[in-house]
mmCIF file of all heavy atoms in Angstrom:
data_model
loop_
_atom_site.group_PDB
_atom_site.id
_atom_site.type_symbol
_atom_site.label_atom_id
_atom_site.label_comp_id
_atom_site.label_asym_id
_atom_site.label_seq_id
_atom_site.Cartn_x
_atom_site.Cartn_y
_atom_site.Cartn_z
ATOM 1 N N GLU A 693 7.661 17.622 14.214
ATOM 2 C CA GLU A 693 7.588 17.311 15.646
ATOM 3 C C GLU A 693 6.124 17.186 16.082
ATOM 4 O O GLU A 693 5.772 16.294 16.847
ATOM 5 C CB GLU A 693 8.298 18.400 16.459
ATOM 6 C CG GLU A 693 9.807 18.404 16.307
ATOM 7 C CD GLU A 693 10.525 17.676 17.403
ATOM 8 O OE1 GLU A 693 10.467 18.160 18.552
ATOM 9 O OE2 GLU A 693 11.135 16.629 17.109
ATOM 10 N N ASN A 694 5.265 18.078 15.574
ATOM 11 C CA ASN A 694 3.847 18.012 15.918
ATOM 12 C C ASN A 694 3.207 16.713 15.418
ATOM 13 O O ASN A 694 2.478 16.057 16.159
ATOM 14 C CB ASN A 694 3.103 19.214 15.350
ATOM 15 C CG ASN A 694 1.629 19.133 15.655
ATOM 16 O OD1 ASN A 694 1.216 19.152 16.805
ATOM 17 N ND2 ASN A 694 0.820 19.015 14.609
ATOM 18 N N ALA A 695 3.481 16.352 14.169
ATOM 19 C CA ALA A 695 2.897 15.126 13.621
ATOM 20 C C ALA A 695 3.339 13.902 14.417
ATOM 21 O O ALA A 695 2.506 13.070 14.808
ATOM 22 C CB ALA A 695 3.282 14.971 12.149
ATOM 23 N N ILE A 696 4.629 13.802 14.689
ATOM 24 C CA ILE A 696 5.143 12.656 15.446
ATOM 25 C C ILE A 696 4.587 12.678 16.868
ATOM 26 O O ILE A 696 4.243 11.634 17.427
ATOM 27 C CB ILE A 696 6.685 12.624 15.441
ATOM 28 C CG1 ILE A 696 7.229 12.510 14.012
ATOM 29 C CG2 ILE A 696 7.205 11.490 16.311
ATOM 30 C CD1 ILE A 696 6.807 11.272 13.253
ATOM 31 N N ALA A 697 4.466 13.862 17.475
ATOM 32 C CA ALA A 697 3.897 13.957 18.826
ATOM 33 C C ALA A 697 2.483 13.402 18.860
ATOM 34 O O ALA A 697 2.097 12.711 19.810
ATOM 35 C CB ALA A 697 3.908 15.408 19.309
ATOM 36 N N ASN A 698 1.705 13.679 17.833
ATOM 37 C CA ASN A 698 0.341 13.155 17.790
ATOM 38 C C ASN A 698 0.325 11.641 17.626
ATOM 39 O O ASN A 698 -0.485 10.956 18.250
ATOM 40 C CB ASN A 698 -0.467 13.849 16.683
ATOM 41 C CG ASN A 698 -1.016 15.175 17.160
ATOM 42 O OD1 ASN A 698 -2.086 15.228 17.741
ATOM 43 N ND2 ASN A 698 -0.266 16.244 16.946
ATOM 44 N N PHE A 699 1.238 11.093 16.808
ATOM 45 C CA PHE A 699 1.344 9.635 16.684
ATOM 46 C C PHE A 699 1.706 9.008 18.023
ATOM 47 O O PHE A 699 1.077 8.050 18.478
ATOM 48 C CB PHE A 699 2.419 9.225 15.666
ATOM 49 C CG PHE A 699 2.191 9.665 14.254
ATOM 50 C CD1 PHE A 699 3.276 9.938 13.432
ATOM 51 C CD2 PHE A 699 0.919 9.812 13.724
ATOM 52 C CE1 PHE A 699 3.089 10.342 12.118
ATOM 53 C CE2 PHE A 699 0.718 10.211 12.409
ATOM 54 C CZ PHE A 699 1.809 10.473 11.602
ATOM 55 N N VAL A 700 2.753 9.562 18.657
ATOM 56 C CA VAL A 700 3.260 9.017 19.910
ATOM 57 C C VAL A 700 2.219 9.158 21.022
ATOM 58 O O VAL A 700 2.028 8.232 21.820
ATOM 59 C CB VAL A 700 4.590 9.683 20.314
ATOM 60 C CG1 VAL A 700 5.014 9.282 21.721
ATOM 61 C CG2 VAL A 700 5.685 9.331 19.305
ATOM 62 N N ALA A 701 1.540 10.293 21.083
ATOM 63 C CA ALA A 701 0.531 10.522 22.132
ATOM 64 C C ALA A 701 -0.533 9.418 22.105
ATOM 65 O O ALA A 701 -0.931 8.923 23.164
ATOM 66 C CB ALA A 701 -0.103 11.896 21.966
ATOM 67 N N LYS A 702 -0.953 9.028 20.928
ATOM 68 C CA LYS A 702 -1.941 7.942 20.823
ATOM 69 C C LYS A 702 -1.358 6.631 21.337
ATOM 70 O O LYS A 702 -2.033 5.879 22.028
ATOM 71 C CB LYS A 702 -2.408 7.787 19.381
ATOM 72 C CG LYS A 702 -3.328 8.899 18.943
ATOM 73 C CD LYS A 702 -3.768 8.726 17.502
ATOM 74 C CE LYS A 702 -4.601 9.923 17.074
ATOM 75 N NZ LYS A 702 -4.944 9.899 15.663
ATOM 76 N N GLU A 703 -0.106 6.374 20.991
ATOM 77 C CA GLU A 703 0.550 5.123 21.393
ATOM 78 C C GLU A 703 0.715 5.012 22.904
ATOM 79 O O GLU A 703 0.608 3.920 23.453
ATOM 80 C CB GLU A 703 1.924 5.005 20.729
ATOM 81 C CG GLU A 703 1.858 4.822 19.240
ATOM 82 C CD GLU A 703 3.226 4.930 18.584
ATOM 83 O OE1 GLU A 703 4.254 4.984 19.304
ATOM 84 O OE2 GLU A 703 3.269 4.972 17.340
ATOM 85 N N ILE A 704 1.010 6.125 23.562
ATOM 86 C CA ILE A 704 1.288 6.071 25.003
ATOM 87 C C ILE A 704 0.130 6.616 25.837
ATOM 88 O O ILE A 704 0.282 6.851 27.027
ATOM 89 C CB ILE A 704 2.618 6.775 25.359
ATOM 90 C CG1 ILE A 704 2.549 8.286 25.101
ATOM 91 C CG2 ILE A 704 3.792 6.131 24.622
ATOM 92 C CD1 ILE A 704 3.760 9.078 25.623
ATOM 93 N N ASP A 705 -1.017 6.804 25.204
ATOM 94 C CA ASP A 705 -2.216 7.300 25.880
ATOM 95 C C ASP A 705 -1.932 8.609 26.621
ATOM 96 O O ASP A 705 -2.171 8.742 27.811
ATOM 97 C CB ASP A 705 -2.775 6.231 26.834
ATOM 98 C CG ASP A 705 -4.194 6.562 27.276
ATOM 99 O OD1 ASP A 705 -4.919 7.225 26.512
ATOM 100 O OD2 ASP A 705 -4.564 6.175 28.408
ATOM 101 N N PHE A 706 -1.415 9.571 25.879
ATOM 102 C CA PHE A 706 -1.037 10.886 26.401
ATOM 103 C C PHE A 706 -2.109 11.894 25.997
ATOM 104 O O PHE A 706 -2.498 11.949 24.830
ATOM 105 C CB PHE A 706 0.319 11.287 25.812
ATOM 106 C CG PHE A 706 0.884 12.573 26.335
ATOM 107 C CD1 PHE A 706 1.829 12.575 27.346
ATOM 108 C CD2 PHE A 706 0.494 13.803 25.802
ATOM 109 C CE1 PHE A 706 2.376 13.761 27.816
ATOM 110 C CE2 PHE A 706 1.028 14.996 26.259
ATOM 111 C CZ PHE A 706 1.968 14.972 27.277
ATOM 112 N N ASP A 707 -2.564 12.702 26.936
ATOM 113 C CA ASP A 707 -3.582 13.715 26.672
ATOM 114 C C ASP A 707 -2.938 14.926 25.993
ATOM 115 O O ASP A 707 -2.560 15.892 26.646
ATOM 116 C CB ASP A 707 -4.268 14.123 27.982
ATOM 117 C CG ASP A 707 -5.227 15.289 27.795
ATOM 118 O OD1 ASP A 707 -5.871 15.371 26.730
ATOM 119 O OD2 ASP A 707 -5.317 16.121 28.717
ATOM 120 N N LEU A 708 -2.801 14.865 24.664
ATOM 121 C CA LEU A 708 -2.205 15.963 23.905
ATOM 122 C C LEU A 708 -3.311 16.809 23.304
ATOM 123 O O LEU A 708 -4.054 16.364 22.439
ATOM 124 C CB LEU A 708 -1.294 15.422 22.796
ATOM 125 C CG LEU A 708 -0.585 16.478 21.940
ATOM 126 C CD1 LEU A 708 0.277 17.403 22.796
ATOM 127 C CD2 LEU A 708 0.240 15.795 20.875
ATOM 128 N N GLN A 709 -3.413 18.056 23.792
ATOM 129 C CA GLN A 709 -4.450 18.970 23.323
ATOM 130 C C GLN A 709 -3.913 19.964 22.298
ATOM 131 O O GLN A 709 -4.691 20.611 21.610
ATOM 132 C CB GLN A 709 -5.056 19.704 24.522
ATOM 133 C CG GLN A 709 -5.676 18.769 25.540
ATOM 134 C CD GLN A 709 -5.919 19.444 26.879
ATOM 135 O OE1 GLN A 709 -5.882 20.666 26.997
ATOM 136 N NE2 GLN A 709 -6.153 18.641 27.906
ATOM 137 N N GLY A 710 -2.606 20.067 22.187
ATOM 138 C CA GLY A 710 -1.978 20.968 21.227
ATOM 139 C C GLY A 710 -0.585 21.349 21.692
ATOM 140 O O GLY A 710 -0.225 21.129 22.851
ATOM 141 N N ILE A 711 0.200 21.895 20.764
ATOM 142 C CA ILE A 711 1.567 22.321 21.072
ATOM 143 C C ILE A 711 1.820 23.656 20.379
ATOM 144 O O ILE A 711 1.459 23.837 19.217
ATOM 145 C CB ILE A 711 2.628 21.309 20.588
ATOM 146 C CG1 ILE A 711 2.333 19.893 21.093
ATOM 147 C CG2 ILE A 711 4.030 21.754 21.022
ATOM 148 C CD1 ILE A 711 3.261 18.834 20.528
ATOM 149 N N GLU A 712 2.439 24.581 21.091
ATOM 150 C CA GLU A 712 2.905 25.838 20.513
ATOM 151 C C GLU A 712 4.429 25.749 20.421
ATOM 152 O O GLU A 712 5.088 25.474 21.422
ATOM 153 C CB GLU A 712 2.528 27.017 21.401
ATOM 154 C CG GLU A 712 1.037 27.230 21.547
ATOM 155 C CD GLU A 712 0.726 28.319 22.563
ATOM 156 O OE1 GLU A 712 1.459 29.339 22.603
ATOM 157 O OE2 GLU A 712 -0.244 28.134 23.318
ATOM 158 N N PHE A 713 4.957 25.958 19.225
ATOM 159 C CA PHE A 713 6.403 25.866 19.011
ATOM 160 C C PHE A 713 7.007 27.247 18.783
ATOM 161 O O PHE A 713 6.442 28.078 18.080
ATOM 162 C CB PHE A 713 6.712 25.006 17.777
ATOM 163 C CG PHE A 713 6.442 23.548 17.960
ATOM 164 C CD1 PHE A 713 5.241 22.995 17.530
ATOM 165 C CD2 PHE A 713 7.377 22.712 18.549
ATOM 166 C CE1 PHE A 713 4.983 21.645 17.680
ATOM 167 C CE2 PHE A 713 7.132 21.364 18.710
ATOM 168 C CZ PHE A 713 5.934 20.828 18.268
ATOM 169 N N ASP A 714 8.165 27.466 19.369
ATOM 170 C CA ASP A 714 8.999 28.636 19.112
ATOM 171 C C ASP A 714 10.371 28.056 18.764
ATOM 172 O O ASP A 714 11.049 27.492 19.628
ATOM 173 C CB ASP A 714 9.064 29.521 20.352
ATOM 174 C CG ASP A 714 9.886 30.788 20.148
ATOM 175 O OD1 ASP A 714 10.675 30.853 19.184
ATOM 176 O OD2 ASP A 714 9.740 31.719 20.946
ATOM 177 N N VAL A 715 10.755 28.140 17.489
ATOM 178 C CA VAL A 715 11.976 27.488 17.014
ATOM 179 C C VAL A 715 12.941 28.550 16.505
ATOM 180 O O VAL A 715 12.576 29.414 15.710
ATOM 181 C CB VAL A 715 11.653 26.480 15.883
ATOM 182 C CG1 VAL A 715 12.915 25.753 15.445
ATOM 183 C CG2 VAL A 715 10.583 25.484 16.333
ATOM 184 N N LYS A 716 14.189 28.477 16.973
ATOM 185 C CA LYS A 716 15.209 29.451 16.582
ATOM 186 C C LYS A 716 16.436 28.703 16.078
ATOM 187 O O LYS A 716 16.934 27.799 16.746
ATOM 188 C CB LYS A 716 15.587 30.333 17.769
ATOM 189 C CG LYS A 716 16.656 31.373 17.448
ATOM 190 C CD LYS A 716 16.886 32.353 18.582
ATOM 191 C CE LYS A 716 17.656 31.707 19.696
ATOM 192 N NZ LYS A 716 18.093 32.641 20.737
ATOM 193 N N GLY A 717 16.901 29.061 14.888
ATOM 194 C CA GLY A 717 18.116 28.475 14.331
ATOM 195 C C GLY A 717 19.216 29.508 14.272
ATOM 196 O O GLY A 717 18.975 30.651 13.882
ATOM 197 N N GLU A 718 20.417 29.107 14.660
ATOM 198 C CA GLU A 718 21.564 30.014 14.663
ATOM 199 C C GLU A 718 22.622 29.504 13.685
ATOM 200 O O GLU A 718 22.984 28.329 13.731
ATOM 201 C CB GLU A 718 22.185 30.084 16.055
ATOM 202 C CG GLU A 718 21.239 30.593 17.126
ATOM 203 C CD GLU A 718 21.818 30.461 18.525
ATOM 204 O OE1 GLU A 718 23.027 30.729 18.709
ATOM 205 O OE2 GLU A 718 21.063 30.066 19.426
ATOM 206 N N LEU A 719 23.068 30.398 12.783
ATOM 207 C CA LEU A 719 24.139 30.041 11.879
ATOM 208 C C LEU A 719 24.967 31.269 11.560
ATOM 209 O O LEU A 719 24.507 32.401 11.711
ATOM 210 C CB LEU A 719 23.608 29.415 10.590
ATOM 211 C CG LEU A 719 23.030 30.341 9.527
ATOM 212 C CD1 LEU A 719 23.193 29.685 8.172
ATOM 213 C CD2 LEU A 719 21.572 30.592 9.787
ATOM 214 N N ASP A 720 26.174 31.011 11.106
ATOM 215 C CA ASP A 720 27.056 32.083 10.667
ATOM 216 C C ASP A 720 26.832 32.245 9.162
ATOM 217 O O ASP A 720 27.138 31.334 8.387
ATOM 218 C CB ASP A 720 28.510 31.701 10.957
ATOM 219 C CG ASP A 720 29.500 32.798 10.605
ATOM 220 O OD1 ASP A 720 29.167 33.672 9.769
ATOM 221 O OD2 ASP A 720 30.621 32.749 11.144
ATOM 222 N N PRO A 721 26.284 33.380 8.715
ATOM 223 C CA PRO A 721 25.982 33.554 7.290
ATOM 224 C C PRO A 721 27.215 33.528 6.383
ATOM 225 O O PRO A 721 27.091 33.358 5.182
ATOM 226 C CB PRO A 721 25.271 34.908 7.230
ATOM 227 C CG PRO A 721 25.662 35.619 8.468
ATOM 228 C CD PRO A 721 25.942 34.566 9.497
ATOM 229 N N ASN A 722 28.409 33.665 6.959
ATOM 230 C CA ASN A 722 29.623 33.621 6.143
ATOM 231 C C ASN A 722 29.789 32.264 5.455
ATOM 232 O O ASN A 722 30.370 32.175 4.381
ATOM 233 C CB ASN A 722 30.861 33.926 6.989
ATOM 234 C CG ASN A 722 30.911 35.375 7.401
ATOM 235 O OD1 ASN A 722 30.773 36.268 6.577
ATOM 236 N ND2 ASN A 722 31.084 35.622 8.686
ATOM 237 N N GLY A 723 29.242 31.206 6.055
ATOM 238 C CA GLY A 723 29.335 29.877 5.458
ATOM 239 C C GLY A 723 28.581 29.796 4.138
ATOM 240 O O GLY A 723 29.106 29.321 3.128
ATOM 241 N N MET A 724 27.346 30.291 4.108
ATOM 242 C CA MET A 724 26.570 30.229 2.858
ATOM 243 C C MET A 724 27.044 31.277 1.848
ATOM 244 O O MET A 724 26.706 31.200 0.671
ATOM 245 C CB MET A 724 25.066 30.331 3.131
ATOM 246 C CG MET A 724 24.574 31.623 3.670
ATOM 247 S SD MET A 724 22.779 31.503 3.918
ATOM 248 C CE MET A 724 22.530 32.933 4.937
ATOM 249 N N MET A 725 27.843 32.209 2.311
ATOM 250 C CA MET A 725 28.399 33.206 1.392
ATOM 251 C C MET A 725 29.760 32.762 0.832
ATOM 252 O O MET A 725 30.410 33.504 0.108
ATOM 253 C CB MET A 725 28.529 34.564 2.100
ATOM 254 C CG MET A 725 27.185 35.119 2.585
ATOM 255 S SD MET A 725 25.863 35.025 1.363
ATOM 256 C CE MET A 725 26.135 36.532 0.497
ATOM 257 N N GLY A 726 30.185 31.550 1.191
ATOM 258 C CA GLY A 726 31.367 30.964 0.560
ATOM 259 C C GLY A 726 32.637 30.925 1.374
ATOM 260 O O GLY A 726 33.665 30.471 0.874
ATOM 261 N N LYS A 727 32.609 31.368 2.611
ATOM 262 C CA LYS A 727 33.828 31.319 3.426
ATOM 263 C C LYS A 727 34.140 29.857 3.749
ATOM 264 O O LYS A 727 33.313 29.141 4.318
ATOM 265 C CB LYS A 727 33.665 32.141 4.699
ATOM 266 C CG LYS A 727 34.955 32.287 5.464
ATOM 267 C CD LYS A 727 34.887 33.339 6.532
ATOM 268 C CE LYS A 727 36.249 33.448 7.188
ATOM 269 N NZ LYS A 727 36.252 34.340 8.306
ATOM 270 N N ASP A 728 35.331 29.414 3.384
ATOM 271 C CA ASP A 728 35.700 28.003 3.456
ATOM 272 C C ASP A 728 35.659 27.382 4.845
ATOM 273 O O ASP A 728 35.273 26.242 5.002
ATOM 274 C CB ASP A 728 37.109 27.786 2.875
ATOM 275 C CG ASP A 728 37.126 27.944 1.372
ATOM 276 O OD1 ASP A 728 36.068 27.786 0.741
ATOM 277 O OD2 ASP A 728 38.216 28.235 0.833
ATOM 278 N N ASP A 729 36.070 28.104 5.861
ATOM 279 C CA ASP A 729 36.196 27.501 7.187
ATOM 280 C C ASP A 729 34.936 27.645 8.047
ATOM 281 O O ASP A 729 34.980 27.407 9.255
ATOM 282 C CB ASP A 729 37.419 28.075 7.910
ATOM 283 C CG ASP A 729 37.349 29.587 8.105
ATOM 284 O OD1 ASP A 729 36.557 30.239 7.401
ATOM 285 O OD2 ASP A 729 38.092 30.112 8.953
ATOM 286 N N VAL A 730 33.807 28.018 7.431
ATOM 287 C CA VAL A 730 32.553 28.186 8.167
ATOM 288 C C VAL A 730 31.499 27.285 7.539
ATOM 289 O O VAL A 730 31.260 27.363 6.330
ATOM 290 C CB VAL A 730 32.066 29.657 8.134
ATOM 291 C CG1 VAL A 730 30.756 29.810 8.888
ATOM 292 C CG2 VAL A 730 33.131 30.582 8.715
ATOM 293 N N ARG A 731 30.887 26.430 8.343
ATOM 294 C CA ARG A 731 29.876 25.550 7.775
ATOM 295 C C ARG A 731 28.635 26.349 7.381
ATOM 296 O O ARG A 731 28.236 27.270 8.099
ATOM 297 C CB ARG A 731 29.555 24.399 8.720
ATOM 298 C CG ARG A 731 28.808 24.758 9.962
ATOM 299 C CD ARG A 731 28.762 23.559 10.889
ATOM 300 N NE ARG A 731 27.507 23.492 11.598
ATOM 301 C CZ ARG A 731 27.246 22.614 12.547
ATOM 302 N NH1 ARG A 731 28.160 21.717 12.884
ATOM 303 N NH2 ARG A 731 26.094 22.606 13.140
ATOM 304 N N PRO A 732 28.006 25.973 6.261
ATOM 305 C CA PRO A 732 26.902 26.773 5.724
ATOM 306 C C PRO A 732 25.525 26.382 6.241
ATOM 307 O O PRO A 732 24.519 26.701 5.618
ATOM 308 C CB PRO A 732 27.007 26.501 4.219
ATOM 309 C CG PRO A 732 27.529 25.117 4.146
ATOM 310 C CD PRO A 732 28.470 24.972 5.308
ATOM 311 N N TYR A 733 25.452 25.731 7.341
ATOM 312 C CA TYR A 733 24.169 25.333 7.907
ATOM 313 C C TYR A 733 24.144 25.632 9.390
ATOM 314 O O TYR A 733 25.126 26.079 9.963
ATOM 315 C CB TYR A 733 23.848 23.863 7.600
ATOM 316 C CG TYR A 733 24.888 22.863 8.079
ATOM 317 C CD1 TYR A 733 24.735 22.227 9.303
ATOM 318 C CD2 TYR A 733 26.001 22.550 7.306
ATOM 319 C CE1 TYR A 733 25.673 21.310 9.742
ATOM 320 C CE2 TYR A 733 26.933 21.636 7.739
ATOM 321 C CZ TYR A 733 26.769 21.012 8.960
ATOM 322 O OH TYR A 733 27.695 20.116 9.395
ATOM 323 N N PHE A 734 22.971 25.391 10.002
ATOM 324 C CA PHE A 734 22.777 25.759 11.398
ATOM 325 C C PHE A 734 23.822 25.136 12.319
ATOM 326 O O PHE A 734 24.149 23.967 12.207
ATOM 327 C CB PHE A 734 21.387 25.327 11.883
ATOM 328 C CG PHE A 734 20.256 26.115 11.287
ATOM 329 C CD1 PHE A 734 19.307 25.510 10.481
ATOM 330 C CD2 PHE A 734 20.122 27.474 11.550
ATOM 331 C CE1 PHE A 734 18.252 26.231 9.936
ATOM 332 C CE2 PHE A 734 19.077 28.209 11.017
ATOM 333 C CZ PHE A 734 18.142 27.589 10.213
ATOM 334 N N GLN A 735 24.298 25.953 13.253
ATOM 335 C CA GLN A 735 25.146 25.436 14.328
ATOM 336 C C GLN A 735 24.280 24.943 15.490
ATOM 337 O O GLN A 735 24.583 23.940 16.108
ATOM 338 C CB GLN A 735 26.107 26.519 14.846
ATOM 339 C CG GLN A 735 27.338 26.728 13.977
ATOM 340 C CD GLN A 735 27.075 27.652 12.807
ATOM 341 O OE1 GLN A 735 26.297 28.593 12.893
ATOM 342 N NE2 GLN A 735 27.715 27.389 11.695
ATOM 343 N N ARG A 736 23.194 25.675 15.759
ATOM 344 C CA ARG A 736 22.320 25.328 16.874
ATOM 345 C C ARG A 736 20.884 25.621 16.475
ATOM 346 O O ARG A 736 20.592 26.626 15.837
ATOM 347 C CB ARG A 736 22.668 26.130 18.113
ATOM 348 C CG ARG A 736 21.653 25.946 19.259
ATOM 349 C CD ARG A 736 21.961 26.751 20.504
ATOM 350 N NE ARG A 736 23.178 26.239 21.094
ATOM 351 C CZ ARG A 736 24.210 26.996 21.476
ATOM 352 N NH1 ARG A 736 24.151 28.294 21.361
ATOM 353 N NH2 ARG A 736 25.283 26.453 21.995
ATOM 354 N N ILE A 737 19.986 24.722 16.903
ATOM 355 C CA ILE A 737 18.558 24.961 16.780
ATOM 356 C C ILE A 737 17.947 24.747 18.153
ATOM 357 O O ILE A 737 18.199 23.730 18.805
ATOM 358 C CB ILE A 737 17.892 24.027 15.748
ATOM 359 C CG1 ILE A 737 18.431 24.307 14.345
ATOM 360 C CG2 ILE A 737 16.370 24.177 15.790
ATOM 361 C CD1 ILE A 737 17.923 23.353 13.273
ATOM 362 N N THR A 738 17.168 25.719 18.605
ATOM 363 C CA THR A 738 16.477 25.624 19.884
ATOM 364 C C THR A 738 14.987 25.499 19.623
ATOM 365 O O THR A 738 14.401 26.325 18.932
ATOM 366 C CB THR A 738 16.757 26.874 20.748
ATOM 367 O OG1 THR A 738 18.181 27.003 20.911
ATOM 368 C CG2 THR A 738 16.096 26.749 22.114
#
Side-chain angles (χ1 to χ4, degrees):
E693 290 263 294
N694 178 63
I696 300 299
N698 277 273
F699 298 149
V700 171
K702 287 180 184 174
E703 292 171 9
I704 66 172
D705 195 29
F706 184 98
D707 173 35
L708 181 58
Q709 300 164 15
I711 307 174
E712 296 174 39
F713 289 96
D714 182 343
V715 183
K716 180 172 75 171
E718 300 172 41
L719 78 153
D720 183 338
N722 289 310
M724 66 180 166
M725 299 314 273
K727 189 167 183 185
D728 288 337
D729 60 342
V730 179
R731 70 189 216 186
Y733 57 95
F734 290 116
Q735 280 83 34
R736 172 181 293 131
I737 295 175
T738 303

